[in-house]
Amino acid sequence: MAVTIRDVARQAEVSVATVSRALTSPELVRASTRERVLAVAADLGYQPNLAARGLITGRTGNLGIVVPDLNNPFFTGVLKGVQSQARQSSYAVFVADSDEDPAAERDLVLAMAKQVDGVILCSPGLEEQVVRELARATSLVLINRRVRGIPAALMSSGSGMRQVIDHLVALGHGRIAYLNGPRTSWSNRERRRGLKAAVQRHGVDLVDLGPFPPRYEGGLQAADLALAEGVTAIVAYNDIMALGVLARLRDRGVSVPGQVSLTGFDDLMFAALCQPALTTVAMPVEPTGRLGVDLLLSRLGRDGGAIRQEELDTQLIVRATTAPPSDSRN
Amino acid sequence: MAVTIRDVARQAEVSVATVSRALTSPELVRASTRERVLAVAADLGYQPNLAARGLITGRTGNLGIVVPDLNNPFFTGVLKGVQSQARQSSYAVFVADSDEDPAAERDLVLAMAKQVDGVILCSPGLEEQVVRELARATSLVLINRRVRGIPAALMSSGSGMRQVIDHLVALGHGRIAYLNGPRTSWSNRERRRGLKAAVQRHGVDLVDLGPFPPRYEGGLQAADLALAEGVTAIVAYNDIMALGVLARLRDRGVSVPGQVSLTGFDDLMFAALCQPALTTVAMPVEPTGRLGVDLLLSRLGRDGGAIRQEELDTQLIVRATTAPPSDSRN
DNA sequence: GAAAACACAGTAAACGTTTTCACTGGAGCT
DNA sequence: AGCTCCAGTGAAAACGTTTACTGTGTTTTC
């Protein structure tokens, strides 16, 4: 059915070896032969069987990416960057969704390992020890998580949080709640770290709440707790939680940003579109995905480039959910 | 480096054939041997090389999905369904993002064709002739698009639109604008068709506007045109456009649903969360993805099941952007 | 009690490539 | 003329599997 290298060889009246060379190392074959072979190949619509090629070269031309949830625009943003950069280097991309299950994450990476040249892993929660195990099974690049000895594409959430606190303090807020995401999440620890440093530097009060599930419902739940603490500003772990907070505050008749200021993190599409538009921190998701691919491919290169961990900048986006606290207005 | 079937065979003191059989056709090997082999395999962490297997069986164990934009939650919803259902049948999933470029869509499917057993294609816009060409190159299943002779997983947008119009008419609206998405999009034609039928049946006025780009900006642009037509209700091609309309109307001081009612389509996450919450039609995106996989796998089965086109139901979700027109309140 | 059937396991051929090695003929050198 | 060298090509081995074929020893059948 499918046209193989043998068909091309026969039609071009050369050996299969010559066809292979004409296609993969053109300089090894005489120009006239090469042209004839290429012409026949194009004519027959020949496409090399990558599985067979991979079998012998040991390189599959495939990349894998494992994410916790394909419904989360943060991860699909990364995926989009990965896919586009991979395509530029003519790699194909396997995708797997672990449904937030760490055990599944491990199995998926392991299952992919045989079929890809490397895996990009978005797993804020997986135990470090398991991550190391996976790195032994295949070339691994982490997204937004730092583990010693493993390449990573990072977003400087610490600096994003600093910008958030600087902004809130400049507005006059003195008592701020942070709604933690999952304790085990690397991003949450990182964001919290940046936030604590900034808070300390400014000498304002921090109310550390949670952890909460990093979802809309988590925000609903967190909002009440934060309110009970009498804070004037709420910093949510991410936009989705922030949206939950916003909804809950609205339901309870608390005006944002009139009585309470609120910030998110991620700058998902709806952050700009909800009402009031959410002040948040923009994450360079697509660039990070692209960077991940670059890091991976550079490690796969001839003598395996250095293990690099590179950080891309985040950016505070001030919209309509932050304002001076109400008492400072009087 | 990697552990092969030969290593397992040696350690279990059997031939490679027996190992292969123990793994793929257990009934052909004595229970005691089978157990020994499986134990060794597990012990060594053996994972079959799927490329090698595929080379001889002709089946790769991979599926492909091509979508126009991974930032669009509609498509990632389908992707999520596809990925989860594929995994259940232990298929791996290739994903490709065409960036809305029809030429890229064609190339991507063709490139995938050699590496997968079938492709799921989300391409509302690709020319029918090209779709047929692709279906010849690999097993194809279309998402939300009907082409004769090609299996498809559909969402009954027509019935969704009927529900929308029934709802608006019941509220008392008599002059309704439809904001078209791309003319070439199968979904748009389908939605428009359902809408026209319903409108005619009720004998109300329809103002057919557009086409507009199916994005936020398209909504901004469309809002003004609709307003100029003096309609009391606006039916947008999808949620993202509807959100644009909402923003534009708010900027112009037109109250929703007080002066104008508005509906979207797709029920993206933010539809429930924006203010006012958007009345829209929920699409069974994940189930459709799953259905797509089922259709594909059934075609791949022994004697290739029938070519089926199956339709899943959509569901009107009434929220806060629809109300009786203002004049009917007086 | 012999023939036939069977359950089980091993040998080797295939799948479509790449790549090592060997071969050819001609060019350049002494 | 004889030698080496090189460009260009082909034959064949390899990659890790599956599977048709073959060969055992044991059971069933008459």
Side-chain angles (χ1 to χ4, degrees):
Chain A
M1 181 78 209
V3 34
T4 86
I5 201 175
R6 234 172 288 274
D7 302 323
V8 179
R10 194 172 322 123
Q11 180 119 359
E13 302 181 311
V14 294
S15 71
V16 293
T18 301
V19 176
S20 172
R21 281 190 279 254
L23 292 166
T24 62
S25 359
E27 72 280 5
L28 290 183
V29 38
R30 192 188 357 221
S32 61
T33 343
R34 186 196 321 145
E35 279 168 27
R36 183 155 40 98
V37 169
L38 293 184
V40 171
D43 189 38
L44 265 49
Y46 169 71
Q47 302 260 120
N49 180 323
L50 297 182
R53 173 182 292 175
L55 201 51
I56 185 148
T57 60
R59 318 177 83 255
T60 62
N62 297 331
L63 248 60
I65 174 170
V66 175
V67 299
D69 178 13
L70 281 171
N71 275 338
N72 185 328
F74 176 84
F75 297 120
T76 57
V78 174
L79 172 59
K80 177 144 184 152
V82 165
Q83 137 71 30
S84 99
Q85 187 75 354
R87 181 139 67 98
Q88 283 217 327
S89 311
S90 45
Y91 272 79
V93 176
F94 275 113
V95 64
D97 176 331
S98 70
D99 265 319
E100 318 259 5
D101 174 3
E105 270 160 23
R106 176 175 171 282
D107 294 346
L108 287 168
V109 173
L110 253 29
M112 274 187 176
K114 309 285 158 214
Q115 297 197 74
V116 301
D117 296 335
V119 172
I120 291 178
L121 177 59
C122 301
S123 175
L126 199 58
E127 290 164 38
E128 202 165 305
Q129 170 197 352
V130 181
V131 174
R132 286 181 200 287
E133 176 202 349
L134 295 179
R136 255 173 278 123
T138 185
S139 291
L140 205 64
V141 168
L142 296 176
I143 296 292
N144 217 21
R145 166 161 191 183
R146 206 187 281 268
V147 170
R148 262 184 70 95
I150 301 182
L154 306 161
M155 315 186 210
S156 61
S157 11
S159 99
M161 272 304 186
R162 186 178 43 70
Q163 295 176 59
V164 168
I165 298 299
D166 287 356
H167 170 61
L168 290 175
V169 168
L171 288 174
H173 292 274
R175 188 171 163 79
I176 300 173
Y178 175 57
L179 312 182
N180 280 272
R183 278 267 186 252
T184 55
S185 148
W186 192 87
S187 310
N188 180 62
R189 288 201 303 270
E190 198 63 7
R191 289 175 191 185
R192 186 153 169 276
R193 218 162 52 89
L195 176 137
K196 282 223 160 184
V199 153
Q200 234 154 25
R201 194 156 38 77
H202 287 295
V204 298
D205 282 355
L206 177 69
V207 182
D208 207 23
L209 297 173
F212 304 98
R215 338 217 78 249
Y216 186 74
E217 294 73 24
L220 295 177
Q221 169 193 1
D224 295 331
L225 300 183
L227 230 43
E229 291 286 347
V231 298
T232 62
I234 300 177
V235 175
Y237 165 66
N238 69 15
D239 282 353
I240 303 191
M241 277 180 67
L243 222 62
V245 173
L246 198 59
R248 185 64 180 171
L249 294 181
R250 188 171 59 221
D251 286 354
R252 292 192 44 184
V254 177
S255 95
V256 175
Q259 297 168 263
V260 172
S261 284
L262 174 67
T263 69
F265 215 105
D266 289 348
D267 194 30
L268 302 184
M269 179 204 292
F270 59 68
L273 311 181
C274 65
Q275 181 66 335
L278 187 63
T279 294
T280 188
V281 175
M283 305 284 275
V285 280
E286 273 190 54
T288 301
R290 268 195 280 276
L291 173 59
V293 172
D294 289 341
L295 291 175
L296 192 53
L297 295 187
S298 93
R299 293 253 335 135
L300 294 177
R302 206 137 291 279
D303 16 81
I307 291 176
R308 292 179 304 172
Q309 303 192 325
E310 292 193 17
E311 204 169 51
L312 298 179
D313 276 341
T314 58
Q315 181 68 52
L316 174 69
I317 311 263
V318 176
R319 296 211 178 88
T321 56
T322 46
S326 42
D327 50 10
S328 80
R329 275 191 197 146
N330 309 339
Chain B
M1 182 79 210
V3 31
T4 84
I5 202 175
R6 235 171 288 272
D7 302 322
V8 179
R10 195 172 321 123
Q11 180 119 357
E13 300 180 312
V14 294
S15 71
V16 293
T18 303
V19 177
S20 172
R21 281 190 279 253
L23 293 165
T24 62
S25 1
E27 72 283 3
L28 290 182
V29 39
R30 186 181 11 210
S32 61
T33 343
R34 186 196 321 147
E35 279 167 28
R36 183 155 39 96
V37 169
L38 294 184
V40 172
D43 188 38
L44 265 49
Y46 168 72
Q47 304 259 124
N49 180 324
L50 297 182
R53 173 181 293 175
L55 201 51
I56 186 146
T57 60
R59 318 176 86 256
T60 63
N62 297 331
L63 249 60
I65 173 170
V66 175
V67 300
D69 179 13
L70 281 171
N71 275 339
N72 185 330
F74 176 83
F75 298 120
T76 59
V78 174
L79 172 58
K80 179 149 184 146
V82 165
Q83 136 71 30
S84 101
Q85 187 74 354
R87 181 139 69 95
Q88 283 217 327
S89 312
S90 47
Y91 272 78
V93 176
F94 275 113
V95 63
D97 175 333
S98 70
D99 264 320
E100 318 261 6
D101 173 4
E105 269 160 24
R106 177 176 171 280
D107 295 346
L108 287 169
V109 173
L110 253 27
M112 274 185 175
K114 310 286 157 208
Q115 296 196 74
V116 301
D117 296 337
V119 173
I120 291 179
L121 177 59
C122 303
S123 176
L126 199 58
E127 290 163 38
E128 202 165 305
Q129 168 197 355
V130 180
V131 173
R132 285 182 199 286
E133 175 200 349
L134 296 179
R136 254 172 278 126
T138 186
S139 290
L140 205 64
V141 168
L142 296 177
I143 297 291
N144 216 23
R145 167 163 189 180
R146 207 187 280 267
V147 171
R148 262 184 72 96
I150 301 183
L154 305 162
M155 315 186 209
S156 61
S157 10
S159 98
M161 272 304 184
R162 188 180 40 71
Q163 295 176 59
V164 168
I165 296 299
D166 286 354
H167 170 60
L168 290 176
V169 168
L171 288 174
H173 292 275
R175 188 170 162 76
I176 300 173
Y178 175 58
L179 312 182
N180 280 273
R183 278 270 184 249
T184 55
S185 147
W186 191 87
S187 311
N188 180 63
R189 287 200 302 269
E190 198 63 8
R191 289 175 191 185
R192 186 152 170 277
R193 218 162 50 90
L195 176 137
K196 282 224 160 184
V199 153
Q200 233 152 25
R201 192 158 35 79
H202 287 294
V204 297
D205 280 356
L206 176 68
V207 183
D208 207 23
L209 296 173
F212 304 97
R215 340 217 77 246
Y216 187 74
E217 294 72 23
L220 296 177
Q221 168 194 359
D224 295 330
L225 299 185
L227 230 43
E229 292 286 347
V231 299
T232 62
I234 301 178
V235 175
Y237 166 66
N238 69 13
D239 282 355
I240 304 191
M241 276 180 67
L243 223 62
V245 172
L246 198 59
R248 184 64 181 172
L249 293 181
R250 190 170 60 220
D251 286 355
R252 291 191 47 182
V254 178
S255 95
V256 175
Q259 296 169 264
V260 172
S261 285
L262 175 67
T263 69
F265 216 106
D266 288 349
D267 194 30
L268 302 185
M269 178 203 294
F270 59 69
L273 311 181
C274 65
Q275 181 66 335
L278 187 64
T279 293
T280 187
V281 175
M283 304 284 273
V285 280
E286 273 190 55
T288 301
R290 269 197 276 279
L291 173 60
V293 172
D294 289 342
L295 293 176
L296 192 52
L297 294 187
S298 93
R299 291 260 328 142
L300 294 177
R302 208 140 287 281
D303 17 79
I307 291 177
R308 291 180 305 173
Q309 302 191 327
E310 293 195 14
E311 204 168 50
L312 298 178
D313 275 341
T314 58
Q315 182 67 53
L316 175 68
I317 312 260
V318 176
R319 296 212 180 88
T321 55
T322 44
S326 43
D327 51 10
S328 80
R329 275 188 197 146
N330 309 336

